């Protein structure tokens, strides 16, 4: 069974039906729930995920999203847009059976992005981080149940977006003033929190980060079934961690096609780097198409609508090339 191709999450524009049609039409075997940040605050990745939180609310300040005491206009807007996106996806997946991906921001990127009342990130307060992870877990449980009810034949894959994870682990997240950085969070704490959030879903959970130095080993130990990343940012330093992950059964969601308008090479050329990696790691070519899902390098919110459509079709062809010619 080849792992195929899928999208990362965001698409350009603001039309939910058009986006659902693109996401389901391009990836007939592995569609996803699109995100449309161009609609404004609440449709952005952080705002959308704050709308999922249970008994915790956020609103927009000039500096970003801040935790508040009660649900306001921004929370209502985030929930309403998510509802619209789900309605559209439901319409285009009637009778669908197979894998379907839904995305949300993971607990650590959320903790780095959300501000406490005083303006500092939640990241600096261990208790606040625990509460946030608990609220997110509860919200994800309800969200996944809703998706399941709407598309009963789907085998849901939950993607948690963690672009700030490496910065959290290395103490690189900047404070409100920008003059200092928050202390690095202990790896055990990071791993334990991720494990607890992954546990809300009894299906596949994958983690996406388009930042450099993705912590493959930590994510594998926390129980991620797959890691989604920008392939162009890999260095040979990550070889061992990737080799161990693949041998332990972790899927690689390899972002091999640029997320913003760029000339597209032939589909086989796009996955040449993946074949080279396999040879370098000494892995059997036959395992390639089972272990690798081809995606754009990141979300497509910054792309033109025509390019977004072209890229998704290109990913499907590149995945086919990988399956047909693994050598």
């Amino acid at each position: 069974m080849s792992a195929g191709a899928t999208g990362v999450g965001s698409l350009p524009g603001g039309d939910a039906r058009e986006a659902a049609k693109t996401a389901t039409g391009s990836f007939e075997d592995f569609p996803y729930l699109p995100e449309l940040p161009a609609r404004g605050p609440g449709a952005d990745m952080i705002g959308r995920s704050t709308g999922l939180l249970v008994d915790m609310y956020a609103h927009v300040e000039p500096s970003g999203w801040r935790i508040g005491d009660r649900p306001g206009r921004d929370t209502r807007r985030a929930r309403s847009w998510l509802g619209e996106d789900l309605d559209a996806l439901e319409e285009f997946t009637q009778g669908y059976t197979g894998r379907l991906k839904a995305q949300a921001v993971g607990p650590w990127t959320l903790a780095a992005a959300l501000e406490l009342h005083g303006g500092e990130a939640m990241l600096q307060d261990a208790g606040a981080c625990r509460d946030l992870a608990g609220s997110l877990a509860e919200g994800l449980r309800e969200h996944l149940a809703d998706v399941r009810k709407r598309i009963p034949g789907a085998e849901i894959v939950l993607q948690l977006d963690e672009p700030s994870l490496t910065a959290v682990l290395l103490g690189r997240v900047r404070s409100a003033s920008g003059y200092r950085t928050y202390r690095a969070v202990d790896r055990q704490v990071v791993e334990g929190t991720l494990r607890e959030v992954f546990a809300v879903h009894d299906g596949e959970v994958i983690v996406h980060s388009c930042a450099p130095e993705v912590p493959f080993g930590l994510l594998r130990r926390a129980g991620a079934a797959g890691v989604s990343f920008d392939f162009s940012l890999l260095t040979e330093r990550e070889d061992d961690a990737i080799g161990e992950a693949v041998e332990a059964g972790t899927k690689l969601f390899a972002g091999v096609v640029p997320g913003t308008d760029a000339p597209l090479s032939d589909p086989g050329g796009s996955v040449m780097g993946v074949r080279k990696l396999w040879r370098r790691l000494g892995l059997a070519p036959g395992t390639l198409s089972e272990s690798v899902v081809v995606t754009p390098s990141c979300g497509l919110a910054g792309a033109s609508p025509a390019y977004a459509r072209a890229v998704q079709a290109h990913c499907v062809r590149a995945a086919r090339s990988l399956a047909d010619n693994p050598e």
Side-chain angles (χ1 to χ4, degrees):
M1 156 74 187
S2 88
T6 189
V8 171
S10 64
L11 286 173
D15 182 334
R17 287 189 76 253
E18 188 53 43
K21 191 172 156 192
T22 300
T24 53
S26 304
F27 301 112
E28 290 169 12
D29 299 329
F30 200 166
Y32 63 97
L33 174 62
E35 299 162 10
L36 300 171
R39 292 182 293 200
D44 61 300
M45 157 175 145
I46 299 297
R48 185 179 180 90
S49 292
T50 62
L52 295 174
L53 298 175
V54 172
D55 298 333
M56 199 179 263
Y57 311 101
H59 59 271
V60 180
E61 291 280 334
S63 54
W65 285 89
R66 183 169 295 183
I67 291 296
D69 300 324
R70 59 183 70 85
R73 191 184 57 199
D74 298 324
T75 300
R76 285 194 293 276
R77 197 186 290 147
R79 289 177 178 169
S80 150
W81 274 327
L82 178 59
E84 217 174 275
D85 295 337
L86 284 163
D87 288 345
L89 186 69
E90 186 177 356
E91 180 188 336
F92 287 99
T93 48
Q94 293 295 310
Y96 174 74
T97 56
R99 295 161 93 201
L100 170 85
K101 186 162 68 67
Q103 307 83 220
V105 177
W108 292 108
T109 296
L110 217 45
L114 288 176
E115 299 171 359
L116 295 161
H117 297 287
E120 292 296 344
M122 291 184 95
L123 189 62
Q124 75 160 21
D125 181 332
C129 288
R130 272 196 302 276
D131 293 346
L132 177 64
S135 170
L136 176 66
E138 205 41 57
L140 284 171
R141 201 174 274 125
E142 291 175 11
H143 175 51
L144 294 168
D146 183 23
V147 178
R148 222 172 266 124
K149 198 166 75 221
R150 289 165 176 267
I151 310 158
E155 188 187 314
I156 299 165
V157 175
L158 170 63
Q159 173 182 309
L160 291 173
D161 294 318
E162 282 283 16
S164 303
L165 185 59
T166 302
V168 166
L169 288 164
L170 298 177
R172 290 181 187 161
V173 178
R174 296 214 160 274
S175 66
S177 68
Y179 293 127
R180 58 184 188 88
T181 52
Y182 298 114
R183 258 209 322 270
V185 181
D186 182 270
R187 295 182 83 85
Q188 243 88 31
V189 173
V190 170
E191 194 181 311
T193 302
L194 288 172
R195 193 176 291 116
E196 281 162 31
V197 176
F198 294 173
V200 304
H201 183 44
D202 51 12
E204 232 177 299
V205 180
I206 68 166
V207 174
H208 169 73
S209 168
C210 42
E213 300 174 71
V214 174
F216 287 94
L218 181 143
L219 292 171
R220 176 175 60 82
R221 286 191 303 275
V227 182
S228 164
F229 58 98
D230 178 343
F231 194 84
S232 70
L233 299 177
L234 281 190
T235 65
E236 295 199 10
R237 279 203 307 275
E238 276 116 342
D239 278 7
D240 288 349
I242 290 178
E244 280 167 26
V246 171
E247 283 174 346
T250 308
K251 288 230 166 54
L252 302 182
F253 284 66
V256 295
V257 194
T260 47
D261 294 39
L264 294 172
S265 72
D266 70 295
S270 296
V271 284
M272 188 69 79
V274 180
R275 292 192 185 97
K276 278 192 187 134
L277 171 71
W278 237 243
R279 280 202 291 276
R280 233 177 31 235
L281 296 176
L283 295 165
T287 62
L288 247 179
S289 65
E290 288 145 44
S291 302
V292 176
V293 179
V294 176
T295 72
S297 59
C298 209
L300 297 170
S304 65
Y307 180 78
R309 282 193 297 274
V311 157
Q312 301 199 119
H314 186 90
C315 286
V316 172
R317 289 197 293 273
R320 202 166 297 140
S321 146
L322 209 49
D324 294 344
N325 316 303
E327 299 284 352

